[in-house]
Amino acid sequence: MPVRRIQIGQVWKNDATGEAYLITKIYTEALASVAVLRKTGSESEPMLRVHIGNSSGAQTLPGYSPTQDFENL
C-alpha cells in the first residue's frame, strides 16, 4: 500500500510472515532510497534493507504493508 512518505519510527508488516518491522533509518544509495528495518521486539536479529519504491507521488516498501494509516497522523 503506498503512503505519501515513509518515515523513521513507522511500523510496517511483512506481507508473507505477518511480522512487524520498525523503520530505523532511511538513506539514499546511488539512485534509490533504502529503508533499514528491525523486527519489533528483536534487537539482536540482523536488520533488513529494503529499497523504497516510488510511484505517482507515493512511496511503497515492496512486500510490506503499513500497520496504521500514516496519512492521518
Side-chain angles (χ1 to χ4, degrees):
M1 171 186 290
V3 295
R4 186 173 304 150
R5 186 166 180 221
I6 294 173
Q7 298 179 8
I8 294 171
Q10 293 176 338
V11 178
W12 288 65
K13 179 182 73 167
N14 184 303
D15 294 335
T17 64
E19 296 172 322
Y21 288 83
L22 174 70
I23 297 179
T24 60
K25 184 176 182 178
I26 297 173
Y27 64 93
T28 303
E29 180 178 272
L31 299 175
S33 294
V34 177
V36 178
L37 300 129
R38 178 181 56 83
K39 188 191 293 188
T40 55
S42 299
E43 290 80 20
S44 61
E45 290 194 30
M47 297 198 184
L48 302 173
R49 288 167 182 75
V50 180
H51 286 274
I52 297 173
N54 291 306
S55 65
S56 304
Q59 295 182 324
T60 61
L61 284 177
Y64 293 84
S65 301
T67 58
Q68 61 191 54
D69 185 9
F70 298 123
E71 301 303 322
N72 294 328
L73 293 179

